[in-house]
Amino acid sequence: MTPPEAPVTDPQGRGAGSAPAVSVCPETAPAPRIDVLRKRADFLRAAAALRQGTSGFLLQARARSPEETALPGLVRIGFTCSKKVGNSVLRNRARRRLREIARLVLPGLAQPGWDYVLVGRPEATISRDFAALQADLARALRDVHSGRAQKARPRSEPAKGRRRGKG
């Protein structure tokens, strides 16, 4: 008994005369590159701009000016959780959850040239359902970019002269 003939292939494993396999993807806008905010001044500028509250966190957002934008397709995001959220274990868990929802939602809804800060809420950021957190971020981003977000509260001026309560 003789074995069947094997088809003739080239070194890449393709049949003789066949075209290489090509992946066809529809042309879509490239996802913006995402960078992380690290400087306090960037967090303060975002806090002084737009804000949109959700059940699980607070979103602060601001459009960078053209002279600030070093890379035009760049989106920057920051994460913060105060001690009101809990001890360091709980704060880190809340930040990890915020980072993950940002990783999943921002590429589709974030606009290049914007800074976003996600602020964790006590108990809610940790205990809220993950799918609900994702939906919150998507809704908050849509509200910010459609103009429905609130302006930041004005900062009160510090008292001049002697400090109150000190003799």
Side-chain angles (χ1 to χ4, degrees), residues 19 23 38 41 130 139:
S23 172
R38 301 195 190 280
F130 191 76
R139 183 179 50 80

Side-chain angles (χ1 to χ4, degrees), residues 6-7 19 23 27 30 44 50 61 65 75 77 90 92 97-98 104 115 128 130-131 139 147 163:
S23 172
E27 287 298 320
L44 292 176
L50 299 173
S65 62
V75 170
I77 180 128
L90 296 176
N92 287 329
R97 295 189 85 194
L98 292 175
L104 296 171
D115 289 346
R128 190 158 168 82
F130 191 76
R139 183 179 50 80
R163 292 165 59 185

Side-chain angles (χ1 to χ4, degrees), residues 39-102:
K39 296 185 180 175
R40 183 173 189 268
D42 292 331
F43 281 88
L44 292 176
R45 280 191 286 261
L50 299 173
R51 61 178 53 219
Q52 182 62 45
T54 67
S55 299
F57 56 88
L58 172 71
L59 174 69
Q60 299 171 338
R62 81 175 188 104
R64 291 189 308 273
S65 62
E67 56 270 2
E68 280 184 285
T69 307
L71 298 171
L74 184 67
V75 170
R76 298 189 313 174
I77 180 128
F79 308 94
T80 184
C81 293
S82 71
K83 286 190 175 183
K84 290 179 184 177
V85 172
N87 63 17
S88 63
V89 174
L90 296 176
R91 290 194 308 269
N92 287 329
R93 181 180 300 154
R95 270 194 298 272
R96 281 194 306 269
R97 295 189 85 194
L98 292 175
R99 275 196 301 268
E100 185 61 16
I101 63 166

Side-chain angles (χ1 to χ4, degrees), residues 94-138:
R95 270 194 298 272
R96 281 194 306 269
R97 295 189 85 194
L98 292 175
R99 275 196 301 268
E100 185 61 16
I101 63 166
R103 184 186 71 80
L104 296 171
V105 175
L106 281 182
L109 296 174
Q111 291 188 3
W114 280 72
D115 289 346
Y116 303 101
V117 175
L118 294 173
V119 182
R121 290 192 186 261
E123 297 179 15
T125 303
I126 296 168
S127 61
R128 190 158 168 82
D129 182 51
F130 191 76
L133 279 176
Q134 283 181 288
D136 286 348
L137 181 57

